Amino acid sequence: MTAVSINRLATFRWSPRAFSSRPVEREKLVALFEAARWSASAGNEQPWRFIIGQQPGESWMKILETLDEGNRIWNVTVPVLLLVVGSRISTYDGNENAYFRYDTGQAMAHLSLEAMRQGLHVHQMGGFSAEKAVKTFKIPVEYVPLVVIAVGYRDDPAILPEKLRQREIQERKRKELRELVFEDSFGTPSPLLTGF
Ligand SMILES: Cc1cc2nc3c(=O)[nH]c(=O)nc-3n(C[C@H](O)[C@H](O)[C@H](O)COP(=O)(O)O)c2cc1C
């Protein structure tokens, strides 16, 4: 339950583990990448890159194999897996781009909301082997694998093993707004949020 009314898509976004193996339509997948493409980035560097795997393709299997055991267990039904890669080098001067992680994360936020608009869900995962991903997909040294994303339609939590099923239905929690927004000095809650 949000503290005040916000964008509907953001309200309904969450990260399920029970995914249906129903394939995702091509236009919907293109829309996800298009949403990411129009995200803001420092110097308009657009550091995000994606490697897509669609079930039962080889690329899908290769991404699945990069996942940690705890993630792999529920990803076997996921129809689309994306390996998200960031470019760490600035195209202007060849130096490190300090913002590539920030920018790629922001693009993922856009992608996530577009997924909601398309009736899909996404689940981002840091639990994967970046080293394995680099080797498997021959990723050049100036790119860094950042996250794997499951994309698809939701299914009944009953398809999950019991422990994961419990996590699927547990109440979602967030910090209070006053713990996040400060004024005058770091850590001093802003009066703006009094009462929230
Ligand atoms: C960068 C990142 C890494 C994550 N890694 C994992 C992961 O390896 N496995 C997993 O099940 N969930 C993972 N999550 C999902 C988070 O646990 C989830 O977003 C968080 O608990 C908030 O829940 P919600 O997305 O449903 O609001 C990750 C999320 C992000 C953004």
Side-chain angles (χ1 to χ4, degrees), residues 178-191:
R178 59 183 175 277
E179 295 178 76
L180 309 175
V181 185
F182 309 140
E183 199 165 321
D184 290 329
S185 64
F186 189 90
T188 306
S190 168

Side-chain angles (χ1 to χ4, degrees), residues 107-180:
M108 289 307 93
H110 285 218
L111 183 151
S112 300
L113 292 185
E114 181 59 29
M116 295 302 306
R117 199 175 78 88
Q118 300 287 350
L120 297 162
H121 277 77
V122 309
H123 194 135
Q124 304 172 70
M125 291 166 281
F128 77 105
S129 166
E131 208 185 326
K132 211 184 243 183
V134 165
K135 278 200 195 119
T136 309
F137 291 103
K138 301 185 178 64
I139 296 170
V141 67
E142 56 278 21
Y143 292 88
V144 182
L146 295 175
V147 78
V148 172
I149 303 194
V151 182
Y153 294 99
R154 278 191 57 206
D155 204 342
D156 192 324
I159 68 164
L160 294 170
E162 179 54 20
K163 218 166 128 193
L164 291 180
R165 198 181 70 79
Q166 285 307 328
R167 285 176 75 179
E168 192 84 341
I169 58 181
Q170 78 193 2
E171 192 196 347
R172 293 172 66 226
K173 296 206 171 99
R174 286 299 187 265
K175 293 183 169 71
E176 300 297 335
L177 281 171
R178 59 183 175 277
E179 295 178 76
L180 309 175

Side-chain angles (χ1 to χ4, degrees), residues 3-194:
V4 291
S5 170
I6 60 168
N7 174 348
R8 263 185 86 246
L9 298 173
T11 308
F12 294 124
R13 188 213 59 81
W14 69 291
S15 307
R17 291 183 178 81
F19 280 91
S20 153
S21 50
R22 173 182 163 193
V24 178
E25 297 82 348
R26 183 181 177 201
E27 321 78 73
K28 293 193 175 188
L29 290 174
V30 174
L32 300 192
F33 297 124
E34 186 63 356
R37 187 164 80 104
W38 286 99
S39 185
S41 62
N44 199 19
E45 285 276 351
Q46 305 163 62
W48 44 81
R49 302 287 185 277
F50 305 96
I51 296 175
I52 185 170
Q54 293 184 78
Q55 195 135 208
E58 197 184 326
S59 192
W60 179 88
M61 184 54 83
K62 283 174 11 186
I63 300 176
L64 186 80
E65 280 168 1
T66 69
L67 293 177
D68 294 352
E69 186 55 35
N71 284 327
R72 208 180 300 172
I73 201 162
W74 57 266
N75 272 274
V76 289
T77 61
V78 171
V80 180
L81 292 173
L82 304 180
L83 173 65
V84 182
V85 176
S87 168
R88 60 182 182 83
I89 303 295
S90 160
T91 50
Y92 289 123
D93 53 14
N95 290 331
E96 290 280 329
N97 173 5
Y99 299 102
F100 83 95
R101 292 174 195 273
Y102 181 94
D103 290 344
T104 305
Q106 187 168 190
M108 289 307 93
H110 285 218
L111 183 151
S112 300
L113 292 185
E114 181 59 29
M116 295 302 306
R117 199 175 78 88
Q118 300 287 350
L120 297 162
H121 277 77
V122 309
H123 194 135
Q124 304 172 70
M125 291 166 281
F128 77 105
S129 166
E131 208 185 326
K132 211 184 243 183
V134 165
K135 278 200 195 119
T136 309
F137 291 103
K138 301 185 178 64
I139 296 170
V141 67
E142 56 278 21
Y143 292 88
V144 182
L146 295 175
V147 78
V148 172
I149 303 194
V151 182
Y153 294 99
R154 278 191 57 206
D155 204 342
D156 192 324
I159 68 164
L160 294 170
E162 179 54 20
K163 218 166 128 193
L164 291 180
R165 198 181 70 79
Q166 285 307 328
R167 285 176 75 179
E168 192 84 341
I169 58 181
Q170 78 193 2
E171 192 196 347
R172 293 172 66 226
K173 296 206 171 99
R174 286 299 187 265
K175 293 183 169 71
E176 300 297 335
L177 281 171
R178 59 183 175 277
E179 295 178 76
L180 309 175
V181 185
F182 309 140
E183 199 165 321
D184 290 329
S185 64
F186 189 90
T188 306
S190 168
L192 180 79
L193 283 316
T194 303

